[in-house]
Amino acid sequence: MQITGLSKVFFCNSGAEANDGAMKLAKLHTKKNSFISTNNAFHGRTIGSLGATANIKYRDPFVPLVKPATFVEYGDASAIEKAITADTAGVILEPIQGEGGVHISNKEYLKEVREICDKNDLILIFDEVQTGFGRTGKWFCKDHYHVQPDILTMAKAIGGGLPMGAIAARDGLSFEKGEHGTTFGGSPLVCAASLAVIETIEEDKLLENSTAMGQYFLEKLGQMKRDDVVGIRGMGLMIGIELNHECGYFMDAAAEKGVLLNVTAGNVIRLLPPLTIQKEEVDRVVEVIESIQKP
Ligand SMILES: *Cc1c(COP(=O)(O)O)cnc(C)c1O
């Protein structure tokens, strides 16, 4: 809770479940039903969180969903303002879009969205399921922007590999007894694991390592001799390398050489290395990426 800067936490089991819970909380609080999300957003695969996930690949087989969000261009705060209706409960956003291709929001965007939400009494939800827990060099990506959401969702790294999610909310936003719940949420096992994760990040100075190795990564990737790179972007150890062609084959090709990477949005190599990564390993990863050619 301390690291989130918010005042209450509900523990659950996954990121999708955290986002479902966050949207339930926003609905309860505002008595409204719709959400604004962004193009390319990924918020999970439950019926509720799918409604805020942009990619039709994930949604189409399951329509009609309960109530899909209205999707607007990521990075354009005025688009959010224009999309507000009398039924809008809140806005859900990733401070950096992960699945969507590692899109980093510009400095003003999150601040402007915060102001728009304040002005219109909307609940602002930051989905930090991927960007949280040191990934970008701070506990949460929002800390780079000094913008506080009303609700923050997290999962993925927080249990150190065990299934755990959490919803943190500001003062004045909470469920009454019985309004929300889950059998396994906040079990002693996953909470002990999560505390160990927090301790390890602090003791081993992994936020600092995330920042330093992230910078080193960007430097090294920038020196690659490849003529198909359109852009390299990153914050801490969340890095995207956009190529001018589809590059799904990179996953298998790199795995064969001992490097696990992912490809999102079709043409973006996404790197989410362990926060413990060291220079020699960065060098190796860059070497492997540099060497992969079209099959
Ligand atoms: C992975 C992810 C989710 C979904 O989390 P699950 O634990 O797989 O349900 C939601 N939002 C973002 C930004 C994610 O990266």
Side-chain angles (χ1 to χ4, degrees):
M1 210 162 74
Q2 263 170 23
I3 60 173
T4 67
L6 294 161
S7 65
K8 292 197 181 67
V9 182
F10 174 86
F11 292 115
C12 55
N13 311 281
S14 72
E17 199 190 329
N19 287 326
D20 266 18
M23 290 191 280
K24 279 176 72 178
L25 186 54
K27 279 163 72 102
L28 263 184
H29 182 77
T30 59
K31 312 267 185 294
K32 294 178 179 175
N33 284 304
S34 332
F35 289 88
I36 297 172
S37 179
T38 54
N39 294 338
N40 302 312
F42 183 86
H43 295 296
R45 299 164 193 263
T46 56
I47 293 282
S49 63
L50 261 183
T53 292
N55 193 332
I56 51 167
K57 173 179 90 181
Y58 298 118
R59 282 193 294 146
D60 250 14
F62 307 103
V63 290
L65 296 167
V66 178
K67 173 135 196 190
T70 302
F71 295 94
V72 301
E73 196 56 30
Y74 188 74
D76 179 1
S78 68
I80 289 178
E81 195 153 32
K82 284 187 204 120
I84 296 170
T85 68
D87 193 42
T88 305
V91 176
I92 182 164
L93 278 185
E94 298 157 86
I96 296 178
Q97 287 189 329
E99 282 293 308
V102 191
H103 295 292
I104 302 178
S105 51
N106 68 44
K107 270 230 165 319
E108 291 71 41
Y109 182 53
L110 297 182
K111 276 210 175 80
E112 286 167 15
V113 175
R114 176 72 270 179
E115 284 163 16
I116 290 167
C117 288
D118 287 342
K119 209 165 74 191
N120 295 280
D121 285 327
L122 305 185
I123 301 292
L124 178 57
I125 303 169
F126 281 169
D127 175 346
E128 293 234 28
V129 170
Q130 193 165 135
T131 50
F133 263 57
R135 174 55 52 200
T136 68
K138 294 198 185 279
W139 280 108
F140 293 97
C141 183
K142 70 182 175 63
D143 303 334
H144 290 284
Y145 297 92
H146 307 289
V147 175
Q148 194 68 308
D150 299 292
I151 306 176
L152 176 75
T153 59
M154 58 207 114
K156 289 208 167 89
I158 74 172
L162 292 179
M164 185 182 193
I167 307 165
R170 66 159 163 80
D171 256 347
L173 267 185
S174 59
F175 291 112
E176 295 299 321
K177 208 169 168 202
E179 278 177 341
H180 193 56
T182 174
T183 301
F184 291 119
S187 78
L189 176 69
V190 295
C191 287
S194 189
L195 286 173
V197 169
I198 292 174
E199 268 167 36
T200 304
I201 290 177
E202 282 172 350
E203 279 166 21
D204 296 353
K205 302 207 174 343
L206 296 183
L207 298 181
E208 290 83 345
N209 195 61
S210 176
T211 304
M213 288 303 111
Q215 272 160 9
Y216 183 68
F217 235 125
L218 290 181
E219 221 172 89
K220 284 279 157 179
L221 287 167
Q223 292 163 5
M224 274 192 313
K225 292 180 189 63
R226 291 193 68 100
D227 54 13
D228 55 355
V229 176
V230 181
I232 299 172
R233 27 183 200 265
M235 194 183 269
L237 288 171
M238 182 159 184
I239 296 167
I241 306 154
E242 184 169 340
L243 303 184
N244 61 12
H245 54 85
E246 296 276 314
C247 59
Y249 60 89
F250 264 75
M251 286 187 276
D252 286 345
E256 259 171 44
K257 299 182 178 188
V259 170
L260 295 178
L261 50 77
N262 207 337
V263 169
T264 57
N267 65 331
V268 180
I269 300 168
R270 181 183 51 179
L271 305 175
L272 300 169
L275 303 189
T276 52
I277 197 168
Q278 298 296 310
K279 278 189 174 172
E280 308 77 68
E281 292 154 332
V282 173
D283 291 343
R284 176 80 189 120
V285 171
V286 174
E287 204 179 292
V288 166
I289 292 175
E290 190 167 22
S291 72
I292 294 173
Q293 296 303 322
K294 271 190 194 170

